[in-house]
Coordinates of all heavy atoms in Angstrom, one line a residue:
N1 N 0.9 -1.2 0.0 CA -0.1 0.0 0.0 C 0.9 1.3 0.0 O 1.9 1.3 0.6 CB -0.9 0.0 1.2 CG -2.1 -0.8 1.0 OD1 -2.6 -1.1 0.0 ND2 -2.8 -1.1 2.2
V2 N 0.4 2.3 -0.6 CA 1.0 3.5 -0.7 C 0.3 4.6 0.1 O -0.9 4.8 -0.2 CB 1.2 4.0 -2.2 CG1 1.9 5.4 -2.3 CG2 2.1 3.1 -3.0
N3 N 0.9 5.2 1.0 CA 0.3 6.2 1.8 C 0.3 7.5 0.9 O 1.3 8.1 0.8 CB 1.2 6.4 3.1 CG 0.5 7.4 4.0 OD1 -0.4 8.2 3.6 ND2 0.7 7.4 5.3
T4 N -0.8 7.9 0.6 CA -1.0 9.1 -0.3 C -0.6 10.4 0.3 O -0.4 11.3 -0.4 CB -2.4 9.2 -1.1 OG1 -3.4 9.2 0.2 CG2 -2.6 7.9 -1.8
S5 N -0.4 10.4 1.5 CA -0.1 11.7 2.1 C 1.5 11.8 2.1 O 2.0 12.9 2.3 CB -0.4 11.8 3.7 OG 0.3 10.8 4.4
N6 N 2.2 10.9 1.6 CA 3.7 10.9 1.5 C 4.0 11.2 0.0 O 5.3 11.3 -0.2 CB 4.3 9.7 2.0 CG 4.1 9.5 3.4 OD1 4.1 10.3 4.1 ND2 4.0 8.2 3.8
L7 N 3.1 11.2 -0.9 CA 3.5 11.3 -2.3 C 2.5 12.3 -3.1 O 1.4 12.2 -2.7 CB 3.5 9.9 -3.0 CG 4.1 9.6 -4.3 CD1 5.6 9.4 -4.1 CD2 3.5 8.4 -4.8
W8 N 3.0 13.0 -4.0 CA 2.2 13.9 -4.7 C 2.6 13.8 -6.2 O 3.7 14.1 -6.6 CB 2.4 15.3 -4.2 CG 1.6 16.4 -4.8 CD1 0.5 16.3 -5.5 CD2 2.0 17.7 -4.9 NE1 0.0 17.6 -6.0 CE2 1.0 18.4 -5.6 CE3 3.1 18.5 -4.5 CZ2 1.0 19.8 -5.9 CZ3 3.2 19.9 -4.6 CH2 2.1 20.4 -5.4
I9 N 1.7 13.4 -7.1 CA 1.9 13.4 -8.5 C 1.7 14.8 -9.1 O 0.5 15.3 -8.8 CB 1.0 12.3 -9.2 CG1 1.2 10.9 -8.6 CG2 1.2 12.3 -10.6 CD1 2.5 10.3 -8.8
V10 N 2.7 15.3 -9.7 CA 2.6 16.7 -10.3 C 2.2 16.6 -11.8 O 1.4 17.4 -12.1 CB 4.0 17.4 -10.1 CG1 4.0 18.7 -10.8 CG2 4.4 17.5 -8.8
N11 N 2.7 15.6 -12.5 CA 2.4 15.5 -13.9 C 2.4 14.1 -14.4 O 3.2 13.3 -13.9 CB 3.4 16.4 -14.6 CG 3.2 16.5 -16.1 OD1 2.0 16.6 -16.5 ND2 4.1 16.3 -17.0
A12 N 1.6 13.8 -15.4 CA 1.6 12.5 -16.0 C 1.6 12.8 -17.6 O 0.8 13.5 -18.0 CB 0.5 11.7 -15.7
S13 N 2.6 12.2 -18.3 CA 2.6 12.4 -19.7 C 2.5 11.0 -20.4 O 3.1 10.0 -20.0 CB 3.8 13.2 -20.1 OG 5.0 12.5 -19.8
F14 N 1.8 11.1 -21.5 CA 1.7 9.9 -22.4 C 2.1 10.2 -23.8 O 1.3 10.6 -24.6 CB 0.2 9.5 -22.4 CG -0.4 9.4 -20.9 CD1 -0.9 10.5 -20.3 CD2 -0.3 8.2 -20.4 CE1 -1.3 10.3 -19.0 CE2 -0.8 8.0 -19.0 CZ -1.4 9.1 -18.4
E15 N 3.4 10.2 -24.0 CA 4.0 10.7 -25.2 C 4.0 9.7 -26.4 O 3.4 9.9 -27.5 CB 5.4 11.3 -25.1 CG 5.4 12.4 -24.1 CD 6.7 12.9 -23.5 OE1 7.8 12.4 -24.2 OE2 6.8 13.6 -22.6
D16 N 4.6 8.6 -26.2 CA 4.8 7.6 -27.3 C 3.6 6.5 -26.8 O 3.4 6.3 -25.7 CB 6.2 6.9 -27.3 CG 7.2 8.0 -27.7 OD1 6.7 8.7 -28.7 OD2 8.3 7.9 -27.4
P17 N 3.4 5.6 -27.7 CA 2.4 4.5 -27.5 C 2.9 3.7 -26.3 O 4.0 3.2 -26.3 CB 2.3 3.7 -28.8 CG 2.6 4.7 -29.8 CD 3.7 5.6 -29.2
G18 N 2.1 3.6 -25.3 CA 2.3 2.8 -24.2 C 3.4 3.3 -23.1 O 3.5 2.7 -22.1
F19 N 3.9 4.4 -23.5 CA 5.0 5.1 -22.6 C 4.3 6.1 -21.6 O 3.6 7.0 -22.0 CB 6.1 5.9 -23.3 CG 7.0 6.5 -22.4 CD1 8.0 5.6 -21.7 CD2 7.1 7.7 -22.3 CE1 9.0 6.2 -20.9 CE2 8.2 8.4 -21.4 CZ 9.1 7.6 -20.7
V20 N 4.5 5.9 -20.3 CA 3.9 6.9 -19.3 C 5.0 7.3 -18.5 O 5.9 6.7 -18.1 CB 2.9 6.1 -18.3 CG1 2.3 7.0 -17.3 CG2 1.9 5.4 -19.1
R21 N 5.0 8.7 -18.3 CA 6.0 9.3 -17.4 C 5.4 10.1 -16.3 O 4.6 10.9 -16.6 CB 7.0 10.3 -18.2 CG 8.1 11.0 -17.3 CD 9.0 11.8 -18.1 NE 10.1 12.4 -17.4 CZ 11.2 11.9 -16.9 NH1 11.4 10.6 -17.1 NH2 12.0 12.6 -16.2
L22 N 5.6 9.7 -15.0 CA 5.0 10.4 -13.9 C 6.0 11.1 -13.2 O 7.2 10.6 -13.0 CB 4.4 9.3 -13.0 CG 3.4 8.3 -13.6 CD1 3.1 7.2 -12.6 CD2 2.1 9.1 -13.9
T23 N 5.8 12.4 -12.9 CA 6.7 13.3 -12.0 C 5.9 13.7 -10.9 O 4.7 13.8 -10.8 CB 7.3 14.4 -12.8 OG1 6.2 15.2 -13.3 CG2 8.1 13.9 -14.1
G24 N 6.6 13.9 -9.8 CA 6.1 14.4 -8.6 C 7.0 14.7 -7.4 O 8.2 14.9 -7.7
K25 N 6.5 14.8 -6.2 CA 7.2 15.1 -5.1 C 6.8 14.1 -4.0 O 5.7 13.5 -4.0 CB 6.8 16.5 -4.6 CG 7.0 17.5 -5.6 CD 6.7 19.0 -5.1 CE 7.0 20.0 -6.1 NZ 8.3 20.1 -6.6
A26 N 7.9 13.7 -3.1 CA 7.6 12.8 -2.1 C 8.4 13.3 -0.9 O 9.3 14.1 -0.9 CB 8.2 11.4 -2.5
K27 N 8.0 12.6 0.3 CA 8.6 13.2 1.5 C 10.0 12.4 1.7 O 10.9 12.9 2.3 CB 7.7 12.8 2.7 CG 6.4 13.6 2.7 CD 5.6 13.4 3.9 CE 4.5 14.4 3.9 NZ 3.5 14.2 5.1
E28 N 10.1 11.1 1.2 CA 11.5 10.4 1.3 C 11.6 9.5 0.1 O 10.7 9.3 -0.6 CB 11.4 9.5 2.5 CG 11.2 10.2 3.8 CD 12.4 11.1 4.3 OE1 13.5 11.0 3.7 OE2 12.1 12.1 5.0
D29 N 12.9 9.1 -0.2 CA 13.1 8.2 -1.3 C 12.3 6.9 -1.3 O 11.8 6.4 -2.2 CB 14.6 7.8 -1.3 CG 15.6 9.0 -1.6 OD1 15.1 10.2 -1.7 OD2 16.7 8.7 -1.9
S30 N 12.1 6.4 -0.1 CA 11.4 5.2 0.1 C 10.0 5.3 -0.3 O 9.3 4.2 -0.7 CB 11.5 4.7 1.7 OG 10.8 5.7 2.4
H31 N 9.4 6.5 -0.2 CA 8.0 6.6 -0.7 C 7.9 6.4 -2.2 O 6.9 5.9 -2.8 CB 7.3 8.0 -0.2 CG 7.4 8.0 1.2 ND1 7.8 9.2 1.9 CD2 7.0 7.2 2.3 CE1 7.7 9.1 3.2 NE2 7.2 7.8 3.4
V32 N 8.9 6.8 -2.9 CA 8.9 6.7 -4.3 C 9.1 5.2 -4.7 O 8.4 4.7 -5.5 CB 10.0 7.5 -5.0 CG1 10.1 7.2 -6.5 CG2 9.8 9.0 -4.8
T33 N 10.0 4.6 -4.0 CA 10.2 3.1 -4.4 C 9.1 2.3 -3.9 O 8.7 1.3 -4.7 CB 11.5 2.5 -3.7 OG1 11.4 2.8 -2.3 CG2 12.8 3.2 -4.3
D34 N 8.3 2.6 -2.9 CA 7.1 2.0 -2.4 C 6.0 2.2 -3.5 O 5.3 1.3 -3.9 CB 6.6 2.4 -1.1 CG 7.4 2.1 0.0 OD1 8.3 1.1 -0.1 OD2 7.2 2.7 1.1
F35 N 6.0 3.3 -4.1 CA 5.0 3.7 -5.2 C 5.2 2.8 -6.3 O 4.2 2.1 -6.9 CB 5.1 5.2 -5.5 CG 4.3 5.6 -6.7 CD1 2.9 5.5 -6.7 CD2 4.9 6.3 -7.7 CE1 2.2 6.0 -7.7 CE2 4.1 6.8 -8.8 CZ 2.8 6.6 -8.8
V36 N 6.5 2.7 -6.8 CA 6.9 1.9 -8.0 C 6.5 0.5 -7.6 O 6.0 -0.3 -8.5 CB 8.3 2.1 -8.3 CG1 8.9 1.1 -9.4 CG2 8.5 3.5 -8.8
A37 N 6.8 -0.1 -6.5 CA 6.6 -1.5 -6.1 C 5.1 -1.7 -6.1 O 4.6 -2.8 -6.6 CB 7.0 -1.8 -4.8
A38 N 4.2 -0.8 -5.7 CA 2.8 -0.9 -5.8 C 2.3 -0.9 -7.2 O 1.4 -1.7 -7.6 CB 2.2 0.2 -5.0
L39 N 2.8 -0.1 -8.0 CA 2.5 -0.1 -9.4 C 2.8 -1.5 -10.2 O 2.1 -1.9 -11.0 CB 3.1 1.1 -10.3 CG 2.6 2.4 -10.0 CD1 3.4 3.5 -10.6 CD2 1.1 2.6 -10.2
K40 N 4.1 -1.9 -9.9 CA 4.5 -3.3 -10.4 C 3.5 -4.4 -10.0 O 3.2 -5.2 -10.8 CB 5.8 -3.7 -9.8 CG 6.9 -3.0 -10.5 CD 8.3 -3.3 -10.0 CE 9.5 -2.6 -10.7 NZ 10.7 -2.9 -10.2
K41 N 3.0 -4.3 -8.8 CA 2.0 -5.4 -8.4 C 0.7 -5.4 -9.1 O 0.1 -6.4 -9.2 CB 1.7 -5.1 -6.9 CG 2.8 -5.6 -5.9 CD 2.4 -5.4 -4.5 CE 3.5 -5.8 -3.6 NZ 3.2 -5.5 -2.1
T42 N 0.4 -4.2 -9.8 CA -0.8 -4.2 -10.6 C -0.7 -5.0 -11.8 O -1.7 -5.5 -12.5 CB -1.2 -2.8 -11.0 OG1 -0.1 -2.3 -12.0 CG2 -1.3 -1.9 -9.8
Q43 N 0.5 -5.4 -12.2 CA 0.7 -6.2 -13.5 C 0.3 -5.6 -14.7 O -0.1 -6.2 -15.7 CB 0.3 -7.6 -13.3 CG 1.0 -8.4 -12.2 CD 0.5 -9.7 -12.0 OE1 -0.4 -10.2 -12.5 NE2 1.3 -10.5 -11.3
K44 N 0.1 -4.2 -14.7 CA -0.3 -3.4 -15.9 C 0.8 -2.9 -16.7 O 0.6 -2.3 -17.8 CB -1.2 -2.2 -15.4 CG -2.4 -2.6 -14.6 CD -3.5 -3.2 -15.3 CE -4.6 -3.5 -14.5 NZ -5.6 -4.2 -15.2
F45 N 2.0 -3.1 -16.2 CA 3.1 -2.5 -17.0 C 4.2 -3.6 -17.3 O 4.5 -4.6 -16.5 CB 3.9 -1.4 -16.1 CG 2.9 -0.4 -15.5 CD1 2.3 -0.5 -14.3 CD2 2.7 0.8 -16.4 CE1 1.5 0.6 -13.9 CE2 2.0 1.8 -16.0 CZ 1.2 1.7 -14.8
A46 N 4.7 -3.4 -18.6 CA 5.7 -4.4 -19.0 C 7.1 -4.0 -18.4 O 7.9 -4.9 -18.0 CB 5.9 -4.3 -20.5
D47 N 7.3 -2.7 -18.0 CA 8.5 -2.2 -17.4 C 8.2 -1.0 -16.6 O 7.4 -0.1 -17.2 CB 9.5 -2.0 -18.4 CG 10.9 -1.5 -17.8 OD1 11.2 -2.1 -16.8 OD2 11.6 -0.7 -18.4
I48 N 8.7 -0.8 -15.5 CA 8.5 0.4 -14.7 C 9.6 0.6 -13.8 O 10.1 -0.4 -13.2 CB 7.1 0.4 -13.9 CG1 6.9 1.7 -13.2 CG2 7.1 -0.8 -12.9 CD1 5.5 1.9 -12.7
K49 N 10.3 1.8 -13.8 CA 11.3 2.0 -12.9 C 11.5 3.5 -12.5 O 10.9 4.4 -13.4 CB 12.6 1.6 -13.6 CG 12.9 2.2 -14.9 CD 14.1 1.5 -15.6 CE 14.3 2.2 -17.0 NZ 15.2 1.4 -17.8
V50 N 12.2 3.8 -11.5 CA 12.6 5.2 -11.1 C 13.6 5.7 -12.1 O 14.6 5.1 -12.3 CB 13.0 5.2 -9.6 CG1 13.4 6.6 -9.2 CG2 12.0 4.7 -8.7
D51 N 13.3 6.9 -12.7 CA 14.2 7.5 -13.5 C 15.2 8.4 -12.8 O 16.4 8.3 -13.0 CB 13.5 8.3 -14.6 CG 14.5 9.1 -15.6 OD1 15.3 8.3 -16.0 OD2 14.3 10.3 -15.7
R52 N 14.6 9.1 -11.8 CA 15.5 9.9 -10.9 C 14.7 10.2 -9.6 O 13.5 10.4 -9.6 CB 15.9 11.2 -11.7 CG 14.7 12.1 -12.0 CD 15.1 13.5 -12.6 NE 14.0 14.3 -12.8 CZ 13.3 14.9 -11.9 NH1 13.6 15.0 -10.7 NH2 12.2 15.7 -12.3
I53 N 15.5 10.6 -8.6 CA 15.1 11.2 -7.4 C 16.0 12.2 -7.0 O 17.3 11.9 -6.7 CB 14.9 10.1 -6.2 CG1 14.0 9.0 -6.6 CG2 14.4 10.7 -4.9 CD1 14.0 7.9 -5.6
D54 N 15.6 13.5 -6.8 CA 16.5 14.6 -6.5 C 15.9 15.2 -5.3 O 14.8 15.2 -5.0 CB 16.5 15.6 -7.7 CG 16.9 15.1 -9.0 OD1 18.0 14.3 -9.0 OD2 16.3 15.4 -10.0
T55 N 16.9 15.9 -4.6 CA 16.5 16.7 -3.5 C 15.7 18.0 -3.8 O 16.1 18.6 -4.8 CB 17.7 17.2 -2.7 OG1 18.4 15.9 -2.2 CG2 17.3 18.0 -1.4
N56 N 14.6 18.3 -3.2 CA 13.7 19.4 -3.6 C 14.0 20.5 -2.6 O 13.8 20.3 -1.4 CB 12.3 19.0 -3.6 CG 11.3 20.0 -3.7 OD1 11.7 21.2 -4.0 ND2 10.1 19.8 -3.6
K57 N 14.3 21.7 -3.1 CA 14.5 22.8 -2.2 C 13.3 23.9 -2.5 O 13.6 25.0 -2.3 CB 15.8 23.4 -2.4 CG 17.0 22.5 -1.9 CD 18.4 23.0 -2.2 CE 19.4 22.0 -1.8 NZ 20.7 22.3 -2.3
G58 N 12.3 23.3 -2.9 CA 11.1 24.2 -3.3 C 10.3 24.9 -2.2 O 10.6 24.8 -1.1
D59 N 9.0 25.1 -2.6 CA 8.1 26.0 -1.7 C 7.4 24.9 -0.8 O 6.6 25.4 0.1 CB 7.2 26.7 -2.5 CG 6.4 26.1 -3.5 OD1 6.8 24.9 -3.8 OD2 5.3 26.5 -3.9
K60 N 7.4 23.7 -1.0 CA 6.8 22.7 -0.1 C 7.8 21.8 0.7 O 8.2 20.7 0.2 CB 5.8 21.7 -1.0 CG 4.7 22.5 -1.5 CD 3.7 21.5 -2.0 CE 2.4 22.1 -2.6 NZ 1.6 22.6 -1.4
P61 N 8.3 22.4 1.8 CA 9.3 21.7 2.5 C 9.1 20.3 3.0 O 9.9 19.5 3.2 CB 9.7 22.7 3.6 CG 8.5 23.6 3.8 CD 7.8 23.6 2.5
E62 N 7.8 20.0 3.1 CA 7.4 18.6 3.7 C 7.7 17.6 2.6 O 7.8 16.4 2.9 CB 6.0 18.6 4.2 CG 5.0 18.7 3.2 CD 4.5 20.1 2.9 OE1 5.3 21.0 3.2 OE2 3.4 20.2 2.3
Y63 N 7.8 17.9 1.3 CA 8.0 17.1 0.2 C 9.5 17.4 -0.2 O 9.7 18.3 -0.9 CB 7.1 17.3 -1.0 CG 5.7 16.9 -0.7 CD1 4.6 17.8 -0.3 CD2 5.2 15.5 -0.7 CE1 3.4 17.3 0.0 CE2 4.0 15.1 -0.5 CZ 3.1 16.1 -0.1 OH 1.8 15.7 0.2
K64 N 10.4 16.5 0.4 CA 11.8 16.8 0.3 C 12.4 16.4 -1.1 O 13.6 16.6 -1.4 CB 12.6 16.2 1.2 CG 12.2 16.6 2.8 CD 12.9 15.9 3.7 CE 12.2 15.7 5.0 NZ 12.7 14.8 5.9
K65 N 11.6 15.5 -1.8 CA 12.2 14.9 -3.0 C 11.4 15.1 -4.3 O 10.2 15.1 -4.1 CB 12.2 13.3 -2.8 CG 13.1 13.0 -1.6 CD 14.6 13.2 -1.7 CE 15.4 12.8 -0.6 NZ 16.8 12.9 -0.9
D66 N 12.1 15.3 -5.4 CA 11.3 15.5 -6.7 C 11.7 14.0 -7.3 O 12.8 13.6 -7.2 CB 11.9 16.6 -7.6 CG 11.5 17.9 -7.0 OD1 10.4 18.1 -6.5 OD2 12.3 18.9 -7.3
F67 N 10.7 13.5 -8.1 CA 11.1 12.3 -8.7 C 10.3 12.2 -10.1 O 9.5 12.8 -10.5 CB 10.6 11.0 -7.9 CG 9.0 11.0 -7.8 CD1 8.3 10.2 -8.7 CD2 8.3 11.6 -6.8 CE1 7.0 10.1 -8.6 CE2 7.0 11.6 -6.6 CZ 6.3 10.8 -7.5
A68 N 10.9 11.2 -10.9 CA 10.3 10.8 -12.2 C 10.3 9.3 -12.2 O 11.3 8.6 -11.9 CB 11.0 11.5 -13.3
V69 N 9.2 8.8 -12.8 CA 9.1 7.3 -13.0 C 8.7 7.1 -14.4 O 7.8 7.8 -14.9 CB 7.9 6.7 -12.0 CG1 7.6 5.3 -12.3 CG2 8.4 6.9 -10.6
N70 N 9.3 6.2 -15.0 CA 8.9 5.9 -16.5 C 8.4 4.5 -16.4 O 8.9 3.5 -15.7 CB 10.3 5.8 -17.3 CG 10.9 7.2 -17.5 OD1 10.1 8.3 -17.4 ND2 12.1 7.3 -17.7
A71 N 7.4 4.2 -17.3 CA 6.8 3.0 -17.4 C 6.2 2.7 -18.8 O 5.9 3.7 -19.6 CB 5.5 2.9 -16.5
Y72 N 6.2 1.4 -19.2 CA 5.6 1.0 -20.5 C 4.4 0.1 -20.1 O 4.6 -0.9 -19.4 CB 6.6 0.2 -21.3 CG 7.8 1.1 -22.0 CD1 8.9 1.3 -21.3 CD2 7.4 1.7 -23.1 CE1 9.8 2.1 -21.8 CE2 8.3 2.6 -23.8 CZ 9.6 2.7 -23.0 OH 10.5 3.6 -23.5
L73 N 3.2 0.5 -20.7 CA 2.0 -0.3 -20.5 C 2.2 -1.8 -21.2 O 2.9 -1.9 -22.3 CB 0.8 0.4 -21.1 CG 0.4 1.6 -20.4 CD1 -0.7 2.3 -21.3 CD2 -0.1 1.4 -19.0
L74 N 1.7 -2.7 -20.4 CA 1.7 -4.1 -20.8 C 0.9 -4.3 -22.1 O -0.3 -3.7 -22.1 CB 1.2 -5.0 -19.7 CG 1.4 -6.5 -19.9 CD1 2.9 -6.9 -20.0 CD2 0.7 -7.3 -18.8
G75 N 1.4 -4.9 -23.1 CA 0.5 -5.2 -24.3 C 0.5 -4.2 -25.3 O -0.2 -4.3 -26.3
V76 N 1.3 -3.1 -25.1 CA 1.5 -2.0 -26.1 C 2.8 -2.0 -26.7 O 3.8 -2.1 -26.1 CB 1.2 -0.6 -25.4 CG1 1.3 0.4 -26.5 CG2 -0.3 -0.6 -24.9
D77 N 2.9 -2.0 -28.1 CA 4.2 -2.1 -28.8 C 4.8 -0.7 -28.8 O 4.3 0.2 -29.5 CB 3.9 -2.6 -30.2 CG 5.3 -2.8 -31.0 OD1 6.4 -2.3 -30.4 OD2 5.2 -3.2 -32.1
P78 N 5.9 -0.4 -28.0 CA 6.5 0.9 -28.0 C 7.0 1.3 -29.2 O 7.3 2.5 -29.5 CB 7.5 0.8 -26.8 CG 7.9 -0.6 -26.8 CD 6.5 -1.4 -27.2
K79 N 7.4 0.4 -30.2 CA 7.9 0.7 -31.6 C 6.9 1.2 -32.5 O 7.2 1.9 -33.4 CB 8.6 -0.5 -32.1 CG 9.7 -0.9 -31.3 CD 10.3 -2.2 -31.9 CE 11.4 -2.7 -30.9 NZ 11.6 -4.2 -30.8
K80 N 5.6 1.0 -32.1 CA 4.5 1.5 -33.1 C 4.3 3.0 -32.7 O 3.9 3.4 -31.6 CB 3.2 0.7 -32.8 CG 2.2 1.1 -33.7 CD 0.9 0.0 -33.5 CE -0.1 0.3 -34.5 NZ -1.3 -0.6 -34.3
K81 N 4.5 3.9 -33.7 CA 4.3 5.4 -33.4 C 2.8 5.8 -33.6 O 2.0 5.2 -34.3 CB 5.2 6.0 -34.5 CG 6.6 5.9 -34.2 CD 7.1 6.4 -32.9 CE 8.7 6.2 -32.7 NZ 9.1 6.6 -31.4
K82 N 2.6 6.9 -33.0 CA 1.3 7.5 -33.1 C 1.1 8.0 -34.5 O 2.1 8.5 -35.1 CB 1.0 8.8 -32.2 CG 1.1 8.4 -30.7 CD 0.6 9.6 -30.0 CE 1.7 10.2 -29.1 NZ 1.3 11.3 -28.3
N83 N -0.1 8.0 -35.0 CA -0.4 8.5 -36.4 C -0.8 10.0 -36.3 O -1.2 10.6 -35.3 CB -1.5 7.9 -37.0 CG -1.2 6.5 -37.3 OD1 0.0 6.2 -37.6 ND2 -2.2 5.6 -37.4

């Protein structure tokens, strides 16, 4: 389970077929890895991993980390381009 008070999704982008990029803020590194583990358990992704976790010195001090997660949806061919 992911405690939603520890993680905040700022943006989700869906650029290439099946590719999802989630960016956000977290209180600790472990909250990001817990989030990725929970997404893996859904078995909706062929691949999902943390792209980066950086220290955040922004306006929300309770969220100390900025992060990005990249994922490919299961069953979607990433080589097939959008029309």
Side-chain angles (χ1 to χ4, degrees):
N1 280 339
V2 175
N3 184 338
T4 56
S5 67
N6 293 326
L7 195 83
W8 179 29
I9 301 297
V10 175
N11 188 41
S13 62
F14 307 89
E15 296 168 13
D16 292 326
F19 180 74
V20 179
R21 182 171 176 87
L22 302 170
T23 58
K25 299 182 181 301
K27 291 185 177 179
E28 301 293 337
D29 291 12
S30 62
H31 300 135
V32 179
T33 54
D34 290 348
F35 175 57
V36 170
L39 290 174
K40 283 181 180 179
K41 284 182 184 178
T42 68
Q43 298 182 347
K44 302 286 184 189
F45 301 95
D47 184 38
I48 184 165
K49 60 187 172 194
V50 176
D51 180 49
R52 65 173 179 78
I53 301 175
D54 302 315
T55 300
N56 172 7
K57 296 178 183 168
D59 59 341
K60 290 195 175 283
E62 69 271 21
Y63 292 97
K64 300 179 215 169
K65 303 294 180 171
D66 289 330
F67 69 88
V69 172
N70 295 333
Y72 286 94
L73 293 172
L74 190 63
V76 178
D77 183 357
K79 295 176 186 149
K80 189 175 181 179
K81 297 291 178 187
K82 290 193 249 183
N83 291 335

